Amino acid sequence: MLWASQTSPDEAVRPGALPMGLLTGVGIDILIDGLLLGIGFAAGAEEGMLLAIALTIEVLSLGLATAVELRQDGQGKARTVGIVAALSALLVVGAGVGITVLKGASDNVMELVLSFGLAALLFLVTEELLTEAHEEPESPWLTSAFFLGFLLFLLLGMLV
């Protein structure tokens, strides 16, 4: 028997609760993107502008997806805008840190920063943004296609 103050494990998340897993993943991803942007501008204006254009598109789509998720979770318009704006400010913070602190960083430090960012991005994509994909039954074909596609892009990234 459950007491009045206890909740069952099957009970849904209360309406209005923040999806902290999503917000943490998005925040870390945006912060790492800002670091990369700062490093790009530290390397040169042309590299920085190219990264800025690419990251603008990515952050716009990520912000829209986050806003939609927050609204579906019962957040108000003002709170949703505030949360997305705060997450967007992390890009500026990351760029400032990237251009000042990581400008002359060693390869080991850069590898550590980038691997942490990759892990956060993988968590964000696989655990938060693709939850709708688990509503349909999985087949061995779909699972193997996912891992083959991931492996292909990993190998292409290593070769290029």
Side-chain angles (χ1 to χ4, degrees):
M1 178 175 150
L2 293 174
W3 295 97
S5 63
Q6 293 176 330
T7 57
S8 71
D10 297 330
E11 189 175 305
V13 177
R14 64 182 166 82
L18 290 174
M20 291 311 294
L22 173 69
L23 296 178
T24 302
V26 169
I28 291 172
D29 178 46
I30 290 177
L31 187 65
I32 297 295
D33 287 347
L35 286 172
L36 293 175
L37 184 61
I39 293 167
F41 274 110
E46 187 175 325
E47 292 86 354
M49 284 305 294
L50 196 62
L51 274 171
I53 292 168
L55 288 175
T56 299
I57 296 167
E58 185 230 347
V59 170
L60 175 66
S61 63
L62 190 58
L64 288 173
T66 303
V68 167
E69 183 67 29
L70 288 170
R71 292 291 290 152
Q72 287 177 347
D73 283 351
Q75 302 300 321
K77 290 179 185 177
R79 189 169 187 192
T80 298
V81 169
I83 291 170
V84 172
L87 288 172
S88 300
L90 289 174
L91 187 71
V92 176
V93 170
V97 169
I99 203 165
T100 56
V101 176
L102 296 175
K103 185 174 182 178
S106 69
D107 289 341
N108 289 337
V109 171
M110 290 304 297
E111 188 174 317
L112 180 67
V113 169
L114 293 177
S115 62
F116 181 74
L118 178 63
L121 180 61
L122 286 175
F123 171 79
L124 174 66
V125 170
T126 57
E127 292 297 324
E128 295 294 336
L129 296 180
L130 294 179
T131 55
E132 288 86 18
H134 295 290
E135 291 176 1
E136 297 293 323
E138 294 181 28
S139 70
W141 168 248
L142 289 176
T143 304
S144 60
F146 171 78
F147 284 107
L148 286 174
F150 181 78
L151 181 63
L152 175 69
F153 279 104
L154 181 66
L155 291 174
L156 285 174
M158 292 171 67
L159 294 175
V160 176

